[in-house]
Amino acid sequence: MQMFDRFRENANIGELVVIQEGVVLGKNVSIGHHTAILGNTRIGDNVTIGSHCIIGVYPGGNANMRKTETTLPPLEIKSNVKIGNHVSIYTGTIISEEAFIGDQASIREKVRIGTNTVIGRGAMVELNTSIGSHCTIQTLAYVTADTTIEDHVFIGPCVSMSNDKYMGAKEFTLRGPYIKEGAKIGNNASLLPAIIIGRNTVVGAGAVVTKNVPDFETVVGNPARKVPDKNTL
Amino acid sequence: MQMFDRFRENANIGELVVIQEGVVLGKNVSIGHHTAILGNTRIGDNVTIGSHCIIGVYPGGNANMRKTETTLPPLEIKSNVKIGNHVSIYTGTIISEEAFIGDQASIREKVRIGTNTVIGRGAMVELNTSIGSHCTIQTLAYVTADTTIEDHVFIGPCVSMSNDKYMGAKEFTLRGPYIKEGAKIGNNASLLPAIIIGRNTVVGAGAVVTKNVPDFETVVGNPARKVPDKNTL
Amino acid sequence: MQMFDRFRENANIGELVVIQEGVVLGKNVSIGHHTAILGNTRIGDNVTIGSHCIIGVYPGGNANMRKTETTLPPLEIKSNVKIGNHVSIYTGTIISEEAFIGDQASIREKVRIGTNTVIGRGAMVELNTSIGSHCTIQTLAYVTADTTIEDHVFIGPCVSMSNDKYMGAKEFTLRGPYIKEGAKIGNNASLLPAIIIGRNTVVGAGAVVTKNVPDFETVVGNPARKVPDKNTL
């Protein structure tokens, strides 16, 4: 049932917590009330997890949805990670050291989150996606599946991405955006599938990016177009 | 209190689950940890419900909000439905067979979800709305109240709809969009109140749709305009 | 542990609820299943709180995020407030009388919500923000930190705001929008940092507001521009 008695000496565990058999907990872990940690989960030292989280979810789906491998590696939450409340994280994912995962964020299977990266409240990260180190993914941003985000990227609040060019109508290898180091995406911008966002680019708030953006360029508007150099965003 | 002992023989029930008196459970139901199922709920065979859900919510509100009938029919969750974690579903709603409801989705009262339809993670479906069969409502999409979505519709991630033309300033019969069979709405598009989106239309990512879209048309931009036939989205 | 026995006579408390020492509960309070109320919280008379809420959260963060004062005043939830399910509210915040907080809304520290205001489902309100009385903040709207919203404002669904002009690249005093009395912001509009939205303005759905909007003006488009008076939104 609630198998955490053996963790009591090392951990600060709230009320009505469920920790299933097979969970590995490091030293000095803190877990809020009503959180459930499922079996295939490894949690490092000094990790803080809030209340009402479900950690180590095994993916499901219906006949319309992508099949999942029958076996996934454990969820690994590295040392010094902080996780908020109402968070869900799937198995087969790695959350690197010092990352912060905000309230209501949801992170699917086979995701890698780099060190010191912030995932904002309510942000959704789909499967098969890599997010680098020192990134900020702001509140309510949507990172689609099959996406790559390099280091030091800023994704503003409510940014939206997609990975299916034909929205189910034709065959298309699903591919999300590829966002290079240091890019900054303004709030509520929309990125189309398989777009490449260059290094140190700036995408303006509300821009709709339908083509690749070269390194160091600033784009704004719908569809997004280059801003002349004198222009300030 | 936790009145599920009588369900134990047919169901796979997690820890710290609350099932109130009056709930009807089919065979082979699976329920995750910390989920609460309220009295006015009927759950079919082979239904899977995740952790931390609240199922069968009775609507409330304050003086600014629409009044609810004092009596609503039960919430009906038909056979083979799968429901994720942190989901809330209200009473007076029907979730049809084989539907999938993602994590953190919230579905209000008097909604009908058709067979085999997917409601993405964090998607919000307001009251008095009908969604057909074989639809995909992607992650973080917002389906406003008083909306009709026919069969085989694709609603991209972060799509936004509204149903109040004057935003509370004048009298207006609240009406959401009417989206016809086979329409595909790109990510982060905005739909205005009472708009009709025709059959097999395509609405581009980030488009702002202010007028009806005829059948088979493709529209993009802000405001959304027709794309010439040679144009590829 | 679950220290609510002393509240039983005045309150209607669900199953598996945690109420920590130091909580002050008024008369006739109703609390749903699986909710946790942390110590530094004062709840007025006739307050209703749904299921799976976490109330009175103390802010955390990582090295990339803004530091929080070490001491914050209590969370105050005034009389006749209604709070939905899966809600998180931080300490140091005031929710005024008759307000309604929808499911999955999350409200950070040092926020003030005025009387009779509605915060929609999944809406996120960041720290250090003031929202007036009789406002409607619709479903999935994002109210950034350091924002002021006066009375009788309507913020449509999925509206997005930002408060960091340079997205972390340069020094900038973080400042969200200032939205004056009676303004109406259409669904999925984007507001840039430090923008002033004048009294009784209308911002069209999907508009991207990059400059201040004078009182009584209507703006639409990307970037948002004034609509001639004859034009109807």
Side-chain angles (χ1 to χ4, degrees), chain C residues 110-230:
Chain C
K110 299 195 291 179
V111 169
R112 184 189 161 278
I113 308 280
T115 56
N116 204 23
T117 279
V118 174
I119 306 292
R121 286 190 300 155
M124 299 273 171
V125 181
E126 298 285 9
L127 70 165
N128 235 352
T129 280
S130 174
I131 298 178
S133 297
H134 308 284
C135 292
T136 298
I137 311 295
Q138 274 274 14
T139 305
L140 285 173
Y142 175 61
V143 179
T144 190
D146 314 293
T147 295
T148 302
I149 297 177
E150 294 186 352
D151 298 341
H152 296 285
V153 166
F154 180 97
I155 305 284
C158 311
V159 164
S160 168
M161 306 181 190
S162 61
N163 70 343
D164 184 359
K165 194 169 178 178
Y166 300 108
M167 303 192 250
K170 300 187 199 175
E171 281 293 322
F172 176 72
T173 303
L174 296 172
R175 197 182 309 161
Y178 191 110
I179 303 177
K180 295 194 176 172
E181 190 166 349
K184 300 184 183 307
I185 316 291
N187 64 301
N188 217 11
S190 304
L191 308 183
L192 270 73
I195 289 288
I196 299 170
I197 308 283
R199 292 187 60 192
N200 295 300
T201 51
V202 175
V203 172
V208 178
V209 184
T210 60
K211 297 189 227 177
N212 295 346
V213 181
D215 293 354
F216 300 100
E217 212 163 276
T218 294
V219 298
V220 301
N222 180 358
R225 297 191 197 284
K226 184 179 177 181
V227 173
D229 286 344
K230 62 183 169 72

Side-chain angles (χ1 to χ4, degrees), chain C residues 73-124:
Chain C
L75 167 61
E76 295 190 45
I77 299 175
K78 302 291 195 180
S79 60
N80 300 309
V81 166
K82 291 188 183 174
I83 295 175
N85 307 289
H86 295 119
V87 169
S88 51
I89 309 181
Y90 283 63
T91 193
T93 277
I94 300 172
I95 312 289
S96 302
E97 290 79 0
E98 313 280 346
F100 179 90
I101 313 294
D103 302 333
Q104 290 186 38
S106 180
I107 300 174
R108 288 277 303 271
E109 67 272 19
K110 299 195 291 179
V111 169
R112 184 189 161 278
I113 308 280
T115 56
N116 204 23
T117 279
V118 174
I119 306 292
R121 286 190 300 155
M124 299 273 171

